[in-house]
Amino acid sequence: MVKLSQPKPYGTVLIKAAKILDYLAESTGNVPLKEIASEAELTTSTALKILDTLILLGYVTKDEKAKTYFLGPALVKYGQVYSNNSMLKNIASPSLERLQEEVDETIHLGMVQNDQLIYIDKLEPKKQAIYMSSKVGNTKPLYSTGMGKIFLSDFSDLELEDYFSRIKLEAYTENTITNKFLMTKELELIKENYIAYDNEEMEKDCFCIAMPINNENGKLEGSFSVSMPKFRATKENIDYVIQKMSEARSSIEQNLID
């Protein structure tokens, strides 16, 4: 859930460093200093000082020849510990593995973090030739993803209004919903039906079906999804996937209680 009042941070260096790490995590290749400074909204000198410290810690690595930067090996241990110790992931894994065998599509498990969806697990298809570029630890906007919309549908009216006041609904494809009224209407349907769709809203030619995972008190713990190429999103296949996802959801929620 979104907190309407946040504690005042102690200092700003960590926040600036986090912006740099976030951008490097989302980048596909080595990034030059000027680009990092621009994207993190920092001066070049400030970005360089922070990067030098992150290099010393092993959080960032520098290609001296190309004068570019990328994430360092020290971050891997933290990601592995978080992933392995995630209670939701551990509980959901058997059900999601069984679901993957039944549908043979890409499956994601996600949680909400700082107004974004973060992937905490991913299962690849075994027989299909098309794969998604998403990775565990990657973040995506809530409003343009199926799992993200599951979390938005759980927001109160006040929380949703606060979210819209802070987050600009930008288009990633021609199908991305950027109208607040239309988004609110869709969230009402999701809340009623417990199913969300991403119909080429985040990535072109990708169709996604998402469902919530609630605990015994009805509180939203996470969400999971099945993603497939749009050409495989026939009515027959969608109905089949929804049936299998519903079975997986029941199994996961029961395991949360046990």
Side-chain angles (χ1 to χ4, degrees):
M1 302 296 285
V2 174
K3 294 181 179 180
L4 300 182
S5 60
Q6 299 288 344
K8 186 177 181 179
Y10 180 72
T12 60
V13 175
L14 285 176
I15 295 176
K16 294 175 182 177
K19 286 184 178 181
I20 291 176
L21 293 174
D22 285 344
Y23 184 68
L24 291 177
E26 295 170 359
S27 301
T28 56
N30 296 354
V31 187
L33 174 61
K34 287 186 178 180
E35 182 179 334
I36 294 172
S38 175
E39 293 296 330
E41 300 178 333
L42 301 171
T43 64
T44 303
S45 60
T46 299
L48 180 59
K49 291 176 182 177
I50 296 174
L51 283 166
D52 285 343
T53 302
L54 292 173
I55 290 172
L56 288 174
L57 295 171
Y59 297 161
V60 171
T61 300
K62 182 180 181 181
D63 185 328
E64 293 291 348
K65 184 177 181 179
K67 304 297 182 183
T68 54
Y69 301 82
F70 52 96
L71 291 180
L75 289 174
V76 174
K77 61 182 179 181
Y78 297 116
Q80 288 177 338
V81 169
Y82 175 81
S83 180
N84 292 336
N85 290 339
S86 169
M87 183 181 73
L88 180 60
K89 177 189 173 183
N90 292 337
I91 290 176
S93 284
S95 299
L96 294 183
E97 288 172 1
R98 184 163 55 251
L99 174 63
Q100 200 282 327
E101 292 177 358
E102 294 170 330
V103 302
D104 197 32
E105 300 286 1
T106 302
I107 295 176
H108 291 108
L109 178 66
M111 300 178 70
V112 66
Q113 181 184 70
N114 298 328
D115 290 332
Q116 289 190 309
L117 169 73
I118 181 169
Y119 297 125
I120 63 172
D121 199 7
K122 177 184 180 182
L123 285 72
E124 299 276 14
K126 297 180 180 179
K127 299 178 182 179
Q128 306 293 352
I130 298 177
Y131 300 90
M132 295 187 65
S133 60
S134 54
K135 297 178 181 178
V136 173
N138 279 5
T139 58
K140 297 291 183 182
L142 295 178
Y143 67 89
S144 58
T145 56
M147 286 196 294
K149 285 188 280 188
I150 289 290
F151 289 107
L152 283 181
S153 71
D154 193 53
F155 285 7
S156 68
D157 291 342
L158 185 59
E159 289 168 333
L160 193 58
E161 182 180 346
D162 180 65
Y163 174 82
F164 286 145
S165 72
R166 292 179 288 101
I167 305 299
K168 183 179 180 181
L169 305 185
E170 299 178 337
Y172 289 89
T173 72
E174 60 184 14
N175 286 1
T176 307
I177 301 174
T178 57
N179 181 285
K180 296 178 183 178
F181 175 79
L182 295 178
M183 176 59 66
T184 301
K185 290 298 182 183
E186 176 156 345
L187 295 178
E188 290 174 357
L189 291 175
I190 293 170
K191 193 168 187 176
E192 179 181 346
N193 299 320
Y194 300 101
I195 301 176
Y197 300 98
D198 167 4
N199 187 7
E200 298 185 278
E201 295 166 49
M202 190 70 229
E203 296 181 31
K204 188 173 175 56
D205 299 323
C206 179
F207 186 87
C208 172
I209 306 169
M211 288 187 179
I213 299 173
N214 297 325
N215 61 24
E216 59 183 318
N217 299 317
K219 181 181 178 181
L220 183 62
E221 293 284 347
S223 63
F224 69 106
S225 67
V226 171
S227 300
M228 66 189 77
K230 184 62 184 288
F231 71 85
R232 283 207 290 269
T234 62
K235 183 181 184 307
E236 181 180 8
N237 195 31
I238 290 173
D239 289 344
Y240 173 76
V241 170
I242 289 176
Q243 176 189 341
K244 294 303 177 181
M245 288 183 70
S246 297
E247 295 172 2
R249 179 190 174 210
S250 297
S251 175
I252 296 170
E253 292 181 343
Q254 182 60 46
N255 289 333
L256 282 174
I257 299 174
D258 293 343

